Amino acid sequence: MKKILLLAFVLISSVVYSQELRLLRGAITENLVVNDSVNETYSLYLPSNFEVNRPWPVTFVMDLEGKGKAAVSMLINAAEQEGYVLASSNNLSDSLAISENVLIANRMFNAVFNTIPTAKNRTYTAGFASGAMFASILPTFVREIKGVISIGAAVGNVEILNTKYPFQFIGLVNRSDYNFTAMYDTKQLLNKLKFPNELLVFDGARNLPEIETIAKAFRMLTLTSMAKGYLQRNDSLINISYNQFLVDVNTNVSNQKPLLATYQMSDMEKIFYPLMKLDSLKASQKILRRSTSYRQANRSQNSYFLKESFTKEDYSYYLEEDIITYNYANLGWWNYQMEELNKLDKSSNLFERQMSSRLRGYINALVSDNIDFVSTDEQVDFEALNLLYMIKTITAPTECDGYLKVISMSSKMEDYGTALFYLEELLKTGYANKEELYAIEHTSLFRIMPEFNEVVEKYLKGARYDVIEQ
């Protein structure tokens, strides 16, 4: 272990490659160099009570856009509360092969291990969405990783899981998130494989979990470490944790959310079974599962799962057909589908509202995936791409990117009538970035036309070019 001097709020570390590091406590240290031989950096967060005289659990946060500081920032409060070090690479990218990203991540792991004292068998990964999927793949290649906190994503590849080398998978997901059904199905599969897993399910307006939910995931990792003997048993913490988890269960029962309560009780049973007797918990779980409220909720949820599955198949089938045939006439069908989801958004039935949210998330992800696929082809099919962006203006009407792309590509194909229509539709949304509007690619001729400037004058006032009165 290198010599580390601990000052008031700064750690000074002399590392292997002869560079002095200044590491902040209770804050993020940015752009730390991985080593002298590669041009790679990472961000590091040390809890405010960090000391060098004991080893610390570390969670590596995966972000495939290479935004290490932003990724770490999302987990800071929970990590501070539960006493975890965080680190995230600035060089991971979804444009790289998995093998390349694994090597980048591994170099970051070694850099952190060589910089601060880390606890053996208490190394974890975490991530959001695509970063979470990558985080769940890493334990297959790096055996030191003992657990994964996956926010909004199922296991990246179930087929490569090795039951001889299990790791703890903790999923966090909102029931309104379109990934909920996939994560729910993954939970059932992992249970069959007897693979350690928990699924923290929550409701709310935001798909991202609250700090308390993320902190609960970290606490689960801590309790599992005690159960496995990686960490000294702390009966006080065990009892406090059990009572805190039980309060959440009772809150959901009181709020008429028996499914959430049963999910939580199932997780509690897995976490606390090696640590304490759970006779009362098991008895309460049996009573709840036999209750009328639970049975009705479970039947209702399964019914909407089935309906959702059929609707997803329709979305996938018609989108593929529309792209292949350039079926612009079917834009009305897509508009109708979104109107139906808008109606469900106002339903008094919680399961209908959640299904609507999941379907909306699914179709937007499906459209985005197809846009990525078509736009990266060697010979880009611009007509298909233009149709996809038109559909995107229907499925995500408040996002300006779809409108801007349609205006650009329609202008490129000299279809100025379509470009003008989408220009006005864009401005109706409240879009007001005039500078960006006059810099849209392929619109050099379109934007000097009187029709273009008349529309801009109507919504934004002060068109760049004069509107000539006839």
Side-chain angles (χ1 to χ4, degrees):
M1 184 67 195
K2 300 156 292 302
K3 183 179 180 182
I4 299 178
L5 299 178
L6 182 61
L7 302 181
F9 294 101
V10 179
L11 290 169
I12 299 179
S13 170
S14 300
V15 294
V16 175
Y17 42 94
S18 302
Q19 178 181 345
E20 185 178 75
L21 292 181
R22 298 176 65 83
L23 305 179
L24 302 174
R25 292 189 303 181
I28 298 173
T29 306
E30 300 179 63
N31 299 317
L32 293 169
V33 177
V34 169
N35 62 54
D36 286 341
S37 62
V38 294
N39 186 25
E40 294 171 3
T41 61
Y42 66 98
S43 292
L44 182 71
Y45 175 78
L46 304 179
S48 57
N49 63 340
F50 182 88
E51 299 288 351
V52 297
N53 58 0
R54 70 179 180 90
W56 290 78
V58 57
T59 298
F60 295 98
V61 191
M62 301 297 137
D63 182 87
L64 295 186
E65 294 183 359
K67 298 177 180 178
K69 181 182 178 181
V72 167
S73 299
M74 301 290 283
L75 303 180
I76 274 184
N77 291 327
E80 172 70 20
Q81 180 177 317
E82 298 299 318
Y84 279 74
V85 170
L86 301 175
S88 184
S89 171
N90 296 316
N91 301 97
L92 297 176
S93 173
D94 55 8
S95 64
L96 298 176
I98 291 177
S99 57
E100 292 180 85
N101 279 325
V102 170
L103 291 175
I104 291 170
N106 195 56
R107 286 193 286 269
M108 173 184 60
F109 296 162
N110 290 328
V112 173
F113 295 152
N114 288 328
T115 302
I116 62 171
T118 56
K120 186 177 181 182
N121 293 319
R122 298 194 67 196
T123 298
Y124 311 100
T125 57
F128 299 80
S130 60
M133 296 184 75
F134 178 63
S136 69
I137 292 174
L138 280 169
T140 301
F141 303 101
V142 184
R143 296 282 165 76
E144 288 80 8
I145 298 172
K146 300 302 179 183
V148 175
I149 295 177
S150 176
I151 302 173
V155 173
N157 190 340
V158 176
E159 295 179 359
I160 66 174
L161 294 178
N162 189 338
T163 54
K164 293 182 179 179
Y165 301 101
F167 59 90
Q168 185 176 6
F169 179 83
I170 304 177
L172 289 75
V173 65
N174 189 321
R175 284 198 290 184
S176 294
D177 190 324
Y178 81 94
N179 286 301
F180 170 60
T181 50
M183 295 183 74
Y184 182 85
D185 291 341
T186 298
K187 175 182 176 66
Q188 312 310 314
L189 178 59
L190 293 178
N191 286 340
K192 289 181 181 178
L193 294 174
K194 300 188 183 304
F195 210 92
N197 76 95
E198 290 78 39
L199 184 61
L200 300 179
V201 182
F202 57 93
D203 290 340
R206 299 170 66 249
N207 279 343
L208 292 177
E210 299 291 339
I211 295 169
E212 292 76 14
T213 305
I214 301 174
K216 181 182 284 189
F218 280 117
R219 180 66 60 86
M220 286 178 166
L221 294 176
T222 298
L223 293 170
T224 298
S225 293
M226 290 183 187
K228 291 182 175 294
Y230 303 150
L231 181 65
Q232 184 176 353
R233 182 185 175 100
N234 184 330
D235 288 327
S236 176
L237 183 65
I238 292 170
N239 291 326
I240 289 172
S241 302
Y242 180 86
N243 290 328
Q244 288 174 341
F245 288 14
L246 196 58
V247 167
D248 291 340
V249 170
N250 292 331
T251 299
N252 279 314
V253 172
S254 299
N255 291 338
Q256 302 299 310
K257 294 184 177 182
L259 294 182
L260 289 187
T262 55
Y263 298 154
Q264 291 172 332
M265 294 170 96
S266 175
D267 288 340
M268 286 180 66
E269 189 172 347
K270 293 176 182 178
I271 293 295
F272 291 100
Y273 174 75
L275 298 169
M276 59 193 300
K277 292 183 178 181
L278 300 174
D279 294 343
S280 61
L281 178 69
K282 291 179 180 179
S284 298
Q285 193 172 13
K286 285 182 179 179
I287 293 171
L288 183 57
R289 286 183 178 276
R290 291 171 181 170
S291 68
T292 302
S293 61
Y294 170 81
R295 291 182 179 183
Q296 289 178 342
N298 195 44
R299 281 196 300 269
S300 184
Q301 178 172 266
N302 289 336
S303 174
Y304 283 106
F305 278 170
L306 185 61
K307 183 178 180 180
E308 181 179 342
S309 176
F310 289 143
T311 306
K312 285 180 178 178
E313 289 179 7
D314 283 347
Y315 288 171
S316 182
Y317 172 80
Y318 284 112
L319 186 64
E320 183 178 0
E321 287 292 305
D322 289 351
I323 295 170
I324 293 172
T325 62
Y326 308 126
N327 190 5
Y328 292 92
N330 206 35
L331 289 174
W333 183 84
W334 289 108
N335 193 57
Y336 172 76
Q337 297 304 313
M338 295 304 105
E339 289 175 352
E340 291 299 296
L341 293 185
N342 290 339
K343 292 177 184 177
L344 292 178
D345 288 341
K346 301 173 184 177
S347 172
S348 60
N349 187 309
L350 174 64
F351 295 112
E352 278 195 337
R353 297 198 304 273
Q354 290 174 338
M355 181 187 70
S356 174
S357 178
R358 293 195 297 267
L359 286 172
R360 198 183 305 278
Y362 173 79
I363 186 55
N364 278 306
L366 187 63
V367 171
S368 294
D369 287 346
N370 277 273
I371 287 173
D372 291 342
F373 178 77
V374 174
S375 60
T376 55
D377 199 3
E378 290 185 6
Q379 293 184 333
V380 178
D381 187 339
F382 288 104
E383 190 166 358
L385 193 58
N386 200 29
L387 176 59
L388 281 165
Y389 279 117
M390 288 179 180
I391 294 173
K392 187 175 182 181
T393 66
I394 296 171
T395 62
T398 60
E399 297 178 14
C400 66
D401 183 60
Y403 300 94
L404 294 170
K405 293 292 187 181
V406 173
I407 294 168
S408 174
M409 284 186 281
S410 296
S411 297
K412 181 179 181 179
M413 294 184 283
E414 299 183 355
D415 182 1
Y416 297 118
T418 298
L420 188 64
F421 173 81
Y422 279 92
L423 169 63
E424 185 157 15
E425 292 300 303
L426 170 62
L427 295 176
K428 285 179 181 178
T429 67
Y431 176 87
N433 190 336
K434 192 183 297 184
E435 184 177 345
E436 184 178 35
L437 206 59
Y438 278 93
I440 300 174
E441 191 178 12
H442 307 305
T443 63
S444 55
L445 179 58
F446 177 49
R447 62 179 176 255
I448 64 173
M449 291 180 176
E451 295 86 353
F452 181 98
N453 289 280
E454 284 173 2
V455 172
V456 174
E457 180 73 21
K458 177 181 176 182
Y459 289 92
L460 300 183
K461 309 300 180 186
R464 178 172 297 181
Y465 302 103
D466 290 337
V467 179
I468 301 174
E469 297 291 345
Q470 299 292 333

